Amino acid sequence: MIFIISDDQGYPDLGCIGTKPVLTPNLDKLAAEGVRGASFYVTWPACTPSRGSVLTGRYPQRNGLYDMVRNDLVNYGYVYNAEEYATSPEMTLGLDPKEVTLGDMLKKAGYATGCVGKWDMGQAKRYLPLQRGFDFFYGHGNNGIDYYTHERYGVPSLFRGNVRTEEDKGSYVTDIFRREALYFVNENLGQKPFFLYLAFNAPHAASSFSEGTVAGKKRSGGPGVQVPEKYAALYQDKVKDEKLARYYGGVTCMDEAIGALMDTVEKAGQKDNTIFIFMSDNGGSGNGGNAPLNGSKSTMWEGGLRVPFIARWPGKLPAGKVTDEFITALELVPTLLAATETPAPEGVTLDGFNMLPILRGEASSPRKDMFWQRRSDKAARVGNWKWLESAKGKGLYDLSTDIGEKTDLSKEKPEVLKMMQDQFAAWRKTMDETEPRGPFRDY
């Protein structure tokens, strides 16, 4: 099983969708040979909580990781020394060790488990993948990094296992993750069942200071997506914006890495035995927009929450199917447990369901609602109704006729507005009554 998650890749940013010049032939092939979800949602509009839900199958408010794990002084050009970094949020916060991850579940079932790329759920040893059900880890424990120095605002950030490493400094990180993913797959392919969680940092902008940054002042914008020139050059006659050309190039380079994994599996005769899952962790940012959706990463609009999703399992899932059924990242853990005939962990509430029948077209999605909260920003989808109340906008929208959230129906449909707000309050009450989880909750 190969589960791939990209970083800040927008809803329309696949070549097979056809609205942008982005080249993704391998992801397009996955979609042509599998099922693409057109109404697939993540649990949070930015990295950390979204990825925590992917690996636990639980709302961020239930597993406790419902905000970002990051140092905010970098916003003001501040470079942490080693002692300061050791006691900073990026080193002391993470996914509660009591949470059971998909790695834990599949390892217990006899799978070889590997994690390559962006972990983003804590860097202290107790939080790192080798302590969370994974046999193998090469990647970074924090948020976005520089693609070449592998630093996050001056701090070396790559780990091999539990130990920081600078062995690959200077090499392009997507290529490194490709190499390590291929190593793990080749070690296990045809030998024993395996689960690879391949979490790219592409096409997230590089987390490095620009030359104009001055310590103590609000930092100026960074370099955007870093990419070898040959990938940016593919787009320089198609788009006028250099940063957008590099964004597309970053997606295409990542797509090539995914293609290498697909080729390796196929040449080994294991294509029919290998599930591929692909998704983005949240909506696109710096990607030229998420039309027809409104908004982007960090917002409660559809453009922040609805993301690309592809599942391929030859013979078990149909080829070339696009489903508009209402499904979410909360469905991933129950689905992969069902696919591998692995029992769910005892005493753990999972917030999703097995979506294999929905992907096959054998059933309608049983999901009727979904809720989101990021501090004071709130949103809910119930049926085709979408409600949000946030600093960047609010309103009530009918997604069946208004996917772009252009027409606020709050005044025309006060009874629906109240129903949405009441359902959100009921969900919030349920989350508050769950067993406390850290690191943010007061308990």
Side-chain angles (χ1 to χ4, degrees):
M1 181 193 313
I2 298 176
F3 183 170
I4 303 164
I5 185 167
S6 64
D7 201 349
D8 291 8
Q9 184 174 359
Y11 174 81
D13 297 346
L14 293 172
C16 60
I17 292 177
T19 61
K20 292 187 176 185
V22 62
L23 302 172
T24 56
N26 297 295
L27 286 170
D28 296 349
K29 181 180 178 182
L30 271 186
E33 296 177 347
V35 181
R36 181 170 67 83
S39 295
F40 180 86
Y41 292 84
V42 291
T43 63
W44 218 72
C47 313
T48 310
S50 174
R51 291 168 183 250
S53 289
V54 161
L55 287 184
T56 64
R58 291 152 63 83
Y59 273 113
Q61 290 74 16
R62 196 187 295 279
N63 68 35
L65 197 60
Y66 52 83
D67 213 321
M68 300 293 288
V69 172
R70 66 184 298 273
N71 295 337
D72 59 358
L73 285 180
V74 298
N75 294 339
Y76 302 93
Y78 190 79
V79 178
Y80 286 76
N81 63 41
E83 290 77 14
E84 291 168 332
Y85 196 79
T87 57
S88 72
E90 286 189 12
M91 278 301 299
T92 57
L93 302 182
L95 179 68
D96 194 316
K98 292 182 289 185
E99 286 293 310
V100 183
T101 74
L102 188 55
D104 292 316
M105 300 172 204
L106 293 177
K107 183 174 182 177
K108 186 176 180 180
Y111 278 67
T113 54
C115 174
V116 174
K118 178 176 174 176
W119 176 245
D120 197 26
M121 284 172 276
Q123 297 183 99
K125 184 177 179 180
R126 64 188 177 276
Y127 298 132
L128 288 172
L130 296 193
Q131 286 66 247
R132 310 312 299 265
F134 290 91
D135 303 311
F136 176 87
F137 173 52
Y138 189 101
H140 52 111
N142 52 8
N143 207 304
I145 59 173
D146 185 282
Y147 285 73
Y148 290 99
T149 67
H150 316 145
E151 296 175 352
R152 175 170 166 79
Y153 300 115
V155 178
S157 296
L158 283 187
F159 286 81
R160 183 174 290 284
N162 290 325
V163 180
R164 288 185 190 269
T165 178
E166 296 186 66
E167 64 192 79
D168 287 313
K169 188 170 184 176
S171 297
Y172 189 63
V173 77
T174 301
D175 293 338
I176 298 169
F177 293 160
R178 168 180 174 160
R179 180 196 74 201
E180 295 295 318
L182 287 170
Y183 169 80
F184 176 80
V185 168
N186 282 317
E187 284 290 294
N188 293 285
L189 195 59
Q191 304 299 315
K192 65 180 297 187
F194 69 87
F195 167 52
L196 171 63
Y197 176 62
L198 175 53
F200 288 102
N201 65 310
H204 191 293
S207 294
S208 49
F209 292 125
S210 65
E211 291 182 5
T213 300
V214 177
K217 295 185 179 180
K218 190 74 173 179
R219 69 181 174 90
S220 54
V225 182
Q226 296 164 306
V227 67
E229 180 56 34
K230 67 176 182 178
Y231 294 103
L234 295 171
Y235 299 99
Q236 284 164 346
D237 62 344
K238 299 177 181 179
V239 297
K240 295 180 180 179
D241 185 339
E242 175 65 22
K243 281 194 173 183
L244 186 57
R246 295 203 305 270
Y247 171 89
Y248 287 155
V251 173
T252 298
C253 182
M254 177 186 68
D255 182 82
E256 284 189 7
I258 293 168
L261 285 166
M262 293 165 62
D263 290 345
T264 296
V265 167
E266 189 162 354
K267 288 175 182 176
Q270 296 296 315
K271 181 176 178 179
D272 291 354
N273 297 327
T274 305
I275 303 170
F276 269 85
I277 300 285
F278 172 81
M279 62 174 285
S280 175
D281 63 351
N282 49 251
S285 175
N287 63 331
N290 296 301
L293 306 183
N294 186 23
S296 61
K297 174 185 178 178
S298 302
T299 75
M300 291 295 180
W301 301 106
E302 291 289 287
L305 299 168
R306 192 187 295 215
V307 300
F309 172 78
I310 301 169
R312 187 188 77 175
W313 192 8
K316 301 294 178 66
L317 293 177
K321 180 178 176 60
V322 178
T323 179
D324 198 38
E325 291 287 330
F326 183 9
I327 50 179
T328 77
L330 294 171
E331 276 68 85
L332 291 166
V333 167
T335 298
L336 295 178
L337 293 180
T340 57
E341 300 182 350
T342 300
E346 293 184 10
V348 175
T349 298
L350 297 177
D351 288 311
F353 54 85
N354 171 19
M355 63 179 167
L356 288 174
I358 293 90
L359 298 180
R360 291 182 183 126
E362 299 169 352
S364 297
S365 173
R367 181 165 291 284
K368 305 303 179 188
D369 52 40
M370 185 72 179
F371 304 94
W372 299 270
Q373 184 164 10
R374 181 184 187 183
R375 301 185 184 181
S376 61
D377 291 352
K378 307 170 185 177
R381 176 173 169 175
V382 178
N384 283 318
W385 290 105
K386 170 79 178 294
W387 163 76
L388 69 156
E389 182 178 292
S390 74
K392 295 184 178 179
K394 61 181 180 178
L396 176 70
Y397 304 90
D398 181 355
L399 296 179
S400 67
T401 59
D402 185 17
I403 193 174
E405 298 170 293
K406 298 182 187 305
T407 305
D408 180 5
L409 299 175
S410 299
K411 292 182 179 179
E412 291 85 348
K413 299 285 185 179
E415 73 286 357
V416 177
L417 177 63
K418 184 177 186 305
M419 177 271 291
M420 299 292 284
Q421 293 169 334
D422 288 347
Q423 292 219 26
F424 180 90
W427 167 79
R428 184 68 246 192
K429 183 174 183 293
T430 299
M431 294 298 106
D432 290 342
E433 290 172 349
T434 59
E435 181 185 354
R437 288 289 194 265
F440 303 108
R441 191 162 173 177
D442 179 18
Y443 66 95

